[in-house]
Amino acid sequence: MEKGQYGYIKKHKKKIITSIIILGVMILTGVILSLVMFKTTKTLIIILPILISLPFAKQIVALIMCSKFKPLTEEEHKKIEKGIHYENRDGILYDISISRYEGMMFFPAVIVRDGRMLFLYQEAFDKKIPDVEFLKKEKIYFTWIRCHPLPIPAKSAYVRQFSTHSRFRTALTVDEFIKKAETIKEPDEDYVVKDQSMREKIFELGV
């Protein structure tokens, strides 16, 4: 399953869990062998568990981060698929995560079409992301800037320039997402390649 497809994040979590189990078994096996054969862990055998412990820890952290992601339910997914009448479905993406300095942002559904971007955000607002305006500014900066090979300007200046830009939209419910998605027209020829490039770069911003 490729990034952007519905169900990707669930499959990704399963892969992480599988790797954690395999690495964990390898670590335990090395420790047990060392104890059984030499009655101590101060042997060369223990080097293998030590080397494996780092990727094991990284996978644990990855699982903790992914556990916070809440993808669409099957009903919500079907509702979006039926409610958005695009002839070309390439512009509709699912299970999109974007890394930022303070952590990860997760968007169950995203549309990149005709040079426009629409993000569905269903998480509860908190201190890190207090409201829609903050979310919009963070999304604009960490997505648009990081997807373009240009010098990164000061964040405040960039946000002031693009915070009211109509190309960046946010929806907090599936119904709102569908309604706004339906206003995005079929992409012009000039945007077909650009849209695809933007989608590929968005995939690089998260897991």
Side-chain angles (χ1 to χ4, degrees):
M1 182 175 289
E2 298 180 356
K3 287 186 177 182
Q5 294 181 329
Y6 177 69
Y8 169 79
I9 203 66
K10 288 183 179 179
K11 188 171 182 179
H12 183 69
K13 287 179 184 179
K14 289 180 180 179
K15 285 183 178 180
I16 294 175
I17 292 172
T18 300
S19 66
I20 288 174
I21 293 172
I22 294 172
L23 293 172
V25 169
M26 292 174 68
I27 290 172
L28 286 174
T29 300
V31 173
I32 291 171
L33 281 175
S34 182
L35 289 172
V36 170
M37 295 174 66
F38 302 100
K39 308 297 183 182
T40 179
T41 56
K42 296 179 180 180
T43 65
L44 291 177
I45 295 176
I46 208 66
I47 293 177
L48 179 61
I50 292 173
L51 292 176
I52 296 174
S53 62
L54 181 57
F56 178 78
K58 287 183 177 180
Q59 291 298 78
I60 292 290
V61 172
L63 181 61
I64 292 172
M65 293 179 66
C66 288
S67 65
K68 300 177 183 179
F69 299 161
K70 296 180 181 179
L72 296 172
T73 63
E74 291 187 9
E75 289 184 2
E76 289 174 325
H77 174 244
K78 289 179 181 178
K79 189 173 185 179
I80 287 177
E81 287 296 308
K82 290 181 180 179
I84 299 177
H85 304 93
Y86 290 171
E87 185 175 340
N88 186 343
R89 314 297 290 184
D90 290 346
I92 307 176
L93 310 176
Y94 296 99
D95 296 347
I96 300 299
S97 59
I98 296 176
S99 63
R100 51 197 287 267
Y101 302 125
E102 297 84 357
M104 300 281 287
M105 287 193 295
F106 180 74
F107 301 96
V110 173
I111 287 179
V112 180
R113 180 181 170 91
D114 195 39
R116 301 175 187 277
M117 302 172 72
L118 172 62
F119 293 77
L120 173 62
Y121 185 78
Q122 293 181 309
E123 299 291 327
F125 292 118
D126 54 24
K127 290 182 179 180
K128 292 183 178 180
I129 303 179
D131 52 40
V132 176
E133 276 305 307
F134 182 89
L135 172 65
K136 185 176 181 181
K137 292 173 183 178
E138 290 293 291
K139 179 184 63 184
I140 291 170
Y141 188 76
F142 287 102
T143 303
W144 188 259
I145 276 292
R146 291 179 62 183
C147 283
H148 287 75
L150 299 173
I152 299 179
K155 184 176 181 180
S156 58
Y158 185 85
V159 168
R160 282 198 302 270
Q161 183 180 357
F162 289 98
S163 60
T164 58
H165 203 294
S166 62
R167 292 190 179 279
F168 304 94
R169 300 179 183 180
T170 300
L172 302 181
T173 65
V174 170
D175 289 333
E176 183 185 2
F177 183 80
I178 294 172
K179 184 177 180 181
K180 290 183 176 180
E182 285 290 272
T183 65
I184 303 176
K185 64 182 181 65
E186 191 74 21
D188 295 330
E189 290 184 8
D190 294 340
Y191 278 113
V192 172
V193 175
K194 292 180 181 178
D195 287 346
Q196 181 58 34
S197 177
M198 179 65 76
R199 287 191 285 269
E200 290 175 356
K201 288 176 180 177
I202 284 178
F203 293 151
E204 298 173 4
L205 300 182
V207 298

